[in-house]
Amino acid sequence: MIWASWRQQRLQLITLLGMLVIGAGAIVLLWSNMVDDITSSQLTACVTQSLQECSAPDGAEKAFREAWGDRFDMGRFVITGLPALIGVFIGAPLFAKELEQGTHVLAFTQSASRTRWMFSKLVVALLPALIVLITLQYLVSGWLAAAGTLGPLMNGPFNALNFGIAHVSPVGYTLFAFVLGTFLGVLTRRTLAAMTATLGAFIVVRLALSGLVDRLVPPQRLEVASGATLEVDTNSNLVIENGYLDTAGRPVPEDKVSTLTQACKSTPGGTPNTQEGFLACLPQSGLAKRYAVFIPESQAWQVHLVDVAIFGGLAVLLLVGTTWALRRQS
């Protein structure tokens, strides 16, 4: 059964092998060239330093970002888009092609059960795809990590592109996209319709659930006096909510905050207020404290686990639906 599945899917498997070889070779070459560029531009120390601490020659840092920015984005887009491509070009045609051409009738008459036939095809198609994804993800992550703060990682782990290619999230997206494709393939019984529907449904679900994951991880809360600095790095941490609190501890609407802060910039006589007067005016006007609700960088792994649990759970439900639909095929 596995041999027959491999023979039917050999084109997809050969394509995956080509993607792995070409993709891995390209990333390793880019990685090597980038390291040489960092060394020749005297930016080695800046990889682990902040922008303020970097003491590179004038213009070297800017030139490096301009030269490599698009390449970094391309690498991230590849890992971001690969789950969708696997779902569209491997998952969707897996059963849709058989049902469309009627070859499933021959498979159903063999000694192997429909369930065994289905899982044999799923394993042969999914495992190589996951190997390709994980390998390329590992290489791209290592490449970006080698650039340090000179690359996209300076934007923090919660940046949309950075988050989508890190930890186990791409595996969860791939499982979901692949099983979504198989499910829609069985429902539509048409390869092209299944491929189109898979791409659209995957994009819609990804966008719809992008904000849900953040709400399922317990955030931290920081409160300071209204005149104090709220030290929450918006690049490294995921800020869910921030603003001012009144004397009762309730959030103050943004339009009211704007009005009150604008009023505190002037004295009762109409002259510009001093910095000390402005800070003293804020609590008197009802802006008692500043606050921020955020998920710190150290908890990014928890967000990834929730992310993969959601998409993995959806994949399991779709797999059950695929099994049910296939068993009803004649």
Side-chain angles (χ1 to χ4, degrees):
M1 184 61 69
I2 292 179
W3 172 253
S5 299
W6 183 88
R7 290 281 295 174
Q8 286 182 314
Q9 300 172 50
R10 59 186 180 275
L11 179 59
Q12 290 94 327
L13 296 177
I14 292 173
T15 302
L16 285 172
L17 179 60
M19 289 177 56
L20 178 61
V21 173
I22 295 172
I27 295 169
V28 170
L29 181 61
L30 287 169
W31 190 341
S32 176
N33 290 341
M34 183 201 69
V35 172
D36 292 340
D37 197 3
I38 290 176
T39 303
S40 61
S41 301
Q42 303 178 32
L43 291 169
T44 305
C46 297
V47 170
T48 57
Q49 293 177 339
S50 64
L51 299 180
Q52 294 76 15
E53 297 172 341
C54 180
S55 58
D58 293 340
E61 181 186 336
K62 181 179 179 181
F64 176 84
R65 295 184 188 280
E66 291 177 350
W68 287 92
D70 291 340
R71 302 177 201 180
F72 290 144
D73 290 341
M74 186 178 299
R76 293 189 295 172
F77 281 129
V78 167
I79 304 303
T80 301
L82 197 52
L85 294 178
I86 291 172
V88 170
F89 291 102
I90 298 179
L94 189 62
F95 298 117
K97 188 175 181 181
E98 296 251 19
L99 296 170
E100 187 175 19
Q101 297 178 349
T103 55
H104 68 288
V105 177
L106 177 61
F108 289 172
T109 60
Q110 304 302 308
S111 58
S113 66
R114 296 187 182 191
T115 303
R116 182 183 173 189
W117 171 76
M118 181 193 75
F119 278 102
S120 296
K121 290 178 69 68
L122 288 173
V123 170
V124 171
L126 181 57
L127 284 182
L130 285 177
I131 291 173
V132 171
L133 171 83
I134 293 172
T135 302
L136 294 181
Q137 178 196 0
Y138 174 79
L139 290 173
V140 169
S141 298
W143 173 35
L144 298 181
T149 54
L150 294 173
L153 297 185
M154 68 171 292
N155 296 321
F158 294 108
N159 173 270
L161 284 178
N162 290 345
F163 183 85
I165 68 171
H167 295 280
V168 293
S169 288
V171 174
Y173 303 151
T174 302
L175 291 173
F176 169 71
F178 177 81
V179 183
L180 175 65
T182 62
F183 177 69
L184 293 176
V186 175
L187 286 186
T188 62
R189 299 171 63 98
R190 295 291 183 270
T191 303
L192 184 58
M195 294 170 70
T196 304
T198 298
L199 179 60
F202 178 77
I203 293 174
V204 169
V205 173
R206 278 290 313 272
L207 293 176
L209 296 182
S210 59
L212 175 64
V213 177
D214 306 337
R215 298 185 179 92
L216 297 179
V217 176
Q220 295 185 14
R221 185 183 181 93
L222 178 64
E223 296 182 5
V224 298
S226 57
T229 302
L230 192 62
E231 297 181 353
V232 177
D233 189 347
T234 55
N235 284 333
S236 300
N237 305 304
L238 178 62
V239 179
I240 300 174
E241 182 183 355
N242 61 28
Y244 284 87
L245 299 173
D246 59 19
T247 54
R250 295 169 299 192
V252 181
E254 291 186 9
D255 55 344
K256 187 176 181 181
V257 170
S258 178
T259 301
L260 294 175
T261 54
Q262 189 64 34
C264 285
K265 291 181 180 180
S266 303
T267 63
T271 59
N273 209 345
T274 63
Q275 181 67 15
E276 293 77 8
F278 172 77
L279 296 178
C281 173
L282 291 177
Q284 295 173 2
S285 64
L287 303 177
K289 292 182 178 180
R290 295 183 64 187
Y291 79 102
V293 178
F294 64 99
I295 300 175
E297 182 180 8
S298 60
Q299 289 182 232
W301 63 273
Q302 296 182 21
V303 184
H304 283 289
L305 288 181
V306 171
D307 198 31
V308 75
I310 291 175
F311 283 94
L314 290 175
V316 171
L317 293 177
L318 289 170
L319 182 60
V320 173
T322 302
T323 305
W324 172 83
L326 270 177
R327 293 177 68 88
R328 292 176 60 88
Q329 298 294 329
S330 57

